[in-house]
Amino acid sequence: MGSTDGELSILIVDDSQIEPLNRKYLGRQNATNVIAFPMRTDQFPNIQPELLGDVVISIETAAREGVIAGISTERRFVQLLVHGILHLFGYDHEGPEQEAKTMEQKSNEILKLIEA
């Protein structure tokens, strides 16, 4: 993914804590499962090159989504963590369909490695 070393922070919150972040930074009015805040942006890639960024995960939403998907909260959490980290590396699923497919493929590839 273009980086051998890097630091990231992981913040585990509840829905009431992630909702204001979602509203402030993404303009969405409800809680979400994961938000990523990359530090290596196109505009300032070398300010702190060792920092990848922050991944914020709502454990409440992860638990609900796990129940719906028939998987454990832990497994859903790992999926969301991988998803967030991919965002830190510039992957995106909200743009062109091909980018979403590329992100999903990379996510599946990483999850297979983790779960092996």
Side-chain angles (χ1 to χ4, degrees):
M1 291 194 306
S3 180
T4 56
D5 292 316
E7 180 181 325
L8 71 112
S9 68
I10 302 165
L11 183 61
I12 302 168
V13 299
D14 62 22
D15 286 349
S16 69
Q17 294 169 302
I18 204 167
E19 188 274 332
L21 297 173
N22 200 25
R23 185 177 350 101
K24 181 175 182 177
Y25 295 103
L26 299 175
R28 299 176 182 155
Q29 298 302 314
N30 51 0
T32 190
N33 52 16
V34 62
I35 301 175
F37 297 97
M39 291 294 292
R40 297 177 179 176
T41 64
D42 290 338
Q43 192 174 12
F44 305 107
N46 296 314
I47 289 180
Q48 294 281 345
E50 70 280 2
L51 298 180
L52 296 174
D54 307 316
V55 176
V56 183
I57 299 173
S58 170
I59 197 67
E60 280 185 277
T61 299
R64 278 194 311 276
E65 290 176 351
V67 168
I68 292 167
I71 59 175
S72 69
T73 299
E74 179 182 314
R75 184 164 183 207
R76 183 61 183 145
F77 176 85
V78 170
Q79 291 172 344
L80 293 172
L81 180 57
V82 168
H83 184 89
I85 292 170
L86 287 174
H87 275 303
L88 297 182
F89 281 99
Y91 287 82
D92 189 12
H93 56 87
E94 295 184 7
E97 185 177 333
Q98 185 55 47
E99 286 184 28
K101 287 180 182 178
T102 300
M103 185 173 182
E104 182 178 358
Q105 290 170 344
K106 181 56 85 171
S107 179
N108 290 336
E109 176 184 323
I110 293 168
L111 290 168
K112 282 181 186 175
L113 291 172
I114 292 170
E115 295 168 354

